[in-house]
Every structure is written in structure tokens, then in C-alpha cells.
Amino acid sequence: MEDKSYKEYLEQITTFILDVDGVLTDGTVTIMTNGDMLRSMNIKDGYALKTAIDAGFNVCIISGGSNLGVQKRLEGLGITDIYLGAHQKVNQFREYLKSKNIKAEHVLYMGDDIPDVPVMKLVALPTCPQDAAIEVKGISKYVSHKLGGKGAVRDVIEQVMKVQDKWDGNFEAKYD
């Protein structure tokens, strides 16, 4: 039996759940002499996240890392469901779905490495950036042509929103 094309899942997505390092960032960390670790996030990914939230989509972050700068950036985009320091991501995933009354068949998850696999196996649409680990690519229904931290999140959000006719192309009226 052949799996459905990933495009057949786009219409039913109401929720985006994302990892941070390797998905919203390129996976590199700059370590400062004082021990602070700096990450970079893509502005276009941020725009897509904010647009999705404004359109009524649920957005949740589940990451093994915990960084105050990352948390502030995500909160600044309007994301309120942020689980940092999550090493058993399935626990936070189940807690989040239960608290929001969301079904797994409405979830797109984007991860890039082994800790993401258990959750990816539970959602309707597991996705990953182009540079994800081979094990993650193997279970993903969609592998973005974009790299982690370089627009992969924007890629999947934009596809879902366009299929659902929620990606607003009338930017003049919106930003006058």
C-alpha cells in the first residue's frame, strides 16, 4: 500500500510543532568567552510563524535545548506554547495535545535529529529540513528543499497556508 502524498495532508493541518536547533536554527552554536551560546534564526521563518498564529494556527515549540534568548524570540513572535529542556519530547507532545484538545492527525511536526523521531512517528505529517539526519529523512513524509534555519519552517508553513487559502497575498492592504 502506497502512502498518501504529503500534499494530501496539508488541508487538515491546524497545528505546527517544531524543534529549535537544526530546524529554526542552522544547528550551529557560537560559544562566547563568558559561556553564553548564541544562535541565529531566519527572519522569513519568523514571519511565517507570526502569520500562521495570526491566521489561527496552533504553534508549539518542543526543544531539548534551553536558552533565554531563544525563548524571548519565540515569545516575541506570539508563540505561547514553548517547551524547552524537553529530552523526552513525547511527554510534552501528549501534554500539549491534551491541553489544547488537538488530534495528532492535525499536526505537522518538523524535526531534524534522533530525539525528534518518537514524536514524528505520532503525527499526520512529519517533516524535516534538507540537512536533517538520515533517520529523520527516512520517516519524513516531506523533506524541505531548504536547510534548517534557512527557510525550512517558512517552506512548510507557507505550503499549508496556501492550500488552505490562508496565505494572504494582499500585502498592500495589510501593511498600509
Side-chain angles (χ1 to χ4, degrees):
M1 184 168 106
E2 187 175 311
D3 281 343
K4 292 199 278 187
S5 162
Y6 83 93
K7 291 185 177 190
E8 295 178 45
Y9 294 91
L10 299 180
E11 185 67 43
Q12 69 194 33
I13 299 301
T14 63
T15 304
F16 299 101
I17 302 180
L18 311 166
D19 180 29
V20 174
D21 292 320
V23 172
L24 284 167
T25 75
D26 67 5
T28 61
V29 177
T30 302
I31 302 169
M32 307 301 288
T33 56
N34 66 359
D36 285 347
M37 293 187 279
L38 305 178
R39 294 162 171 85
S40 298
M41 291 186 176
N42 187 292
I43 293 297
K44 291 178 181 140
D45 286 343
Y47 175 78
L49 286 164
K50 178 81 173 107
T51 302
I53 291 166
D54 290 348
F57 286 88
N58 303 301
V59 175
C60 175
I61 304 299
I62 304 177
S63 175
S66 59
N67 178 285
L68 186 57
V70 168
Q71 184 166 344
K72 285 183 177 184
R73 168 65 176 152
L74 298 171
E75 288 172 349
L77 294 171
I79 301 170
T80 57
D81 298 297
I82 304 169
Y83 299 88
L84 300 180
H87 299 291
Q88 299 296 325
K89 294 182 178 189
V90 170
N91 296 336
Q92 285 80 11
F93 170 74
R94 288 189 173 130
E95 176 185 318
Y96 174 70
L97 292 192
K98 185 176 180 183
S99 72
K100 300 288 185 177
N101 196 27
I102 298 168
K103 294 183 178 172
E105 60 258 28
H106 299 284
V107 176
L108 178 152
Y109 185 95
M110 181 171 270
D112 73 304
D113 212 343
I114 303 300
D116 298 304
V117 169
V119 176
M120 293 177 77
K121 289 181 175 182
L122 299 175
V123 302
L125 188 51
T127 66
C128 68
Q130 181 61 47
D131 55 345
I134 192 75
E135 296 87 350
V136 172
K137 285 181 168 184
I139 64 165
S140 292
K141 290 181 180 162
Y142 175 71
V143 177
S144 176
H145 62 285
K146 301 281 189 173
L147 302 174
K150 305 291 183 189
V153 171
R154 165 78 175 251
D155 175 32
V156 294
I157 290 175
E158 189 173 332
Q159 285 191 61
V160 168
M161 292 184 70
K162 282 182 175 179
V163 163
Q164 296 183 19
D165 200 27
K166 295 179 180 176
W167 187 260
D168 187 2
N170 187 5
F171 297 109
E172 293 78 25
K174 194 173 184 179
Y175 294 102
D176 277 347

